[in-house]
């Protein structure tokens, strides 16, 4: 259904993807993609973000919501990248997760799309669809991730996440899933859907 599924956040390198993913919390990818061109022009590398004036950064990212917290995390994250990783975004889950503003979801996005290291990104769409399709009964994102890892070949983890996100956005919405227009209609147990 989604042969061209990909990361919807526009980026040219691992740092840009990391920053865009931090900004995407409680915000649409469309909005993030509107904000990031000016942001990345102003702050071209981790050192520039690490030295950013918080108020200026807040102004640039304000429309993404929770901008004070996001600005604080971006600056702290980039300081740690500069101080502990020589200004380069680390390429392992163990190094990414401790960075301010970064959890497993963000780390898996960066690993999968910037470093080609397979990872399952459990966002709201992946979690919801995994339960709706009967792939898991769990709600904790890390536990859902681990269950899906057992079900899927490792090489497919990243693209599976993108496909689930595309499907959640285009067909299987939270409030009003389009079951009649879904290619999985005959296979889906529709768990939690009022039919």
């Amino acid at each position: 259904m989604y042969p061209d599924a990909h990361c919807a956040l526009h980026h040219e390198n691992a740092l840009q993807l990391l920053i865009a993913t931090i900004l995407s919390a409680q915000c649409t990818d469309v909005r993030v993609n509107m904000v990031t061109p000016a942001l990345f022009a102003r702050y071209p590398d981790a050192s520039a973000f690490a030295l950013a004036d918080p108020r200026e950064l807040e102004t640039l990212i304000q429309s993404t919501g929770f901008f004070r917290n996001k600005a604080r995390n971006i600056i702290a994250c980039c300081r740690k990248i500069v101080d502990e990783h020589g200004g380069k975004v680390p390429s392992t889950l163990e190094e990414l997760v401790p960075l301010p503003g970064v959890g497993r979801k963000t780390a898996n996005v960066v690993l999968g799309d910037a470093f080609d290291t397979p990872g399952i990104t459990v966002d709201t769409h992946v979690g919801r669809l995994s339960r709706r399709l009967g792939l898991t009964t769990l709600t904790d994102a890390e536990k859902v991730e681990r269950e899906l890892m057992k079900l899927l070949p490792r090489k497919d983890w990243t693209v599976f996440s993108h496909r689930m996100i595309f499907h959640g956005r285009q067909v299987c919405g939270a409030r009003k899933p389009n079951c009649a227009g879904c290619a999985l209609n005959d296979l889906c147990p529709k768990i939690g859907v009022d039919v």
Side-chain angles (χ1 to χ4, degrees):
M1 290 170 59
Y2 307 102
D4 299 322
H6 60 278
C7 181
L9 295 168
H10 300 165
H11 63 282
E12 293 177 6
N13 56 52
L15 179 67
Q16 289 184 0
L17 180 57
L18 177 63
I19 301 301
T21 307
I22 290 171
L23 292 174
S24 73
Q26 304 295 310
C27 182
T28 67
D29 291 349
V30 172
R31 169 59 57 191
V32 172
N33 289 337
M34 293 167 73
V35 167
T36 52
L39 186 68
F40 297 151
R42 174 66 182 93
Y43 306 105
D45 55 32
S47 296
F49 275 109
L51 297 171
D53 173 80
R55 284 180 188 62
E56 181 184 353
L57 181 55
E58 288 171 5
T59 300
L60 286 169
I61 66 171
Q62 186 170 1
S63 66
T64 68
F66 304 98
F67 60 92
R68 286 188 184 89
N69 191 44
K70 289 178 182 180
R72 191 170 33 256
N73 281 334
I74 289 169
I75 292 168
C77 177
C78 287
R79 283 182 183 155
K80 199 164 184 174
I81 289 171
V82 169
D83 293 345
E84 297 179 15
H85 302 284
K88 302 287 182 199
V89 175
S91 60
T92 68
L93 189 70
E94 296 73 27
E95 292 172 306
L96 283 164
V97 171
L99 296 173
V102 178
R104 291 184 69 87
K105 181 186 90 163
T106 297
N108 278 321
V109 169
V110 173
L111 290 172
D113 290 293
F115 295 110
D116 205 26
T117 300
I120 295 177
T121 302
V122 181
D123 72 346
T124 56
H125 300 292
V126 174
R128 180 181 72 252
L129 268 64
S130 295
R131 288 183 291 280
R132 197 169 274 173
L133 289 165
L135 302 176
T136 185
T137 58
L138 303 172
T139 55
D140 177 83
E142 189 171 340
K143 291 178 181 175
V144 171
E145 177 188 342
R146 295 199 189 287
E147 283 211 337
L148 294 174
M149 288 166 77
K150 293 178 197 169
L151 297 174
L152 301 160
R154 188 174 193 271
K155 67 179 181 55
D156 295 332
W157 290 353
T158 301
V159 74
F160 173 81
S161 301
H162 292 314
R163 288 177 176 152
M164 291 283 271
I165 292 166
F166 273 44
H167 193 64
R169 288 179 178 158
Q170 296 175 22
V171 178
C172 197
R175 290 184 187 90
K176 240 180 145 182
N178 179 12
C179 295
C182 180
L184 301 175
N185 191 26
D186 294 339
L187 303 169
C188 180
K190 300 172 188 67
I191 296 169
V193 177
D194 294 329
V195 235

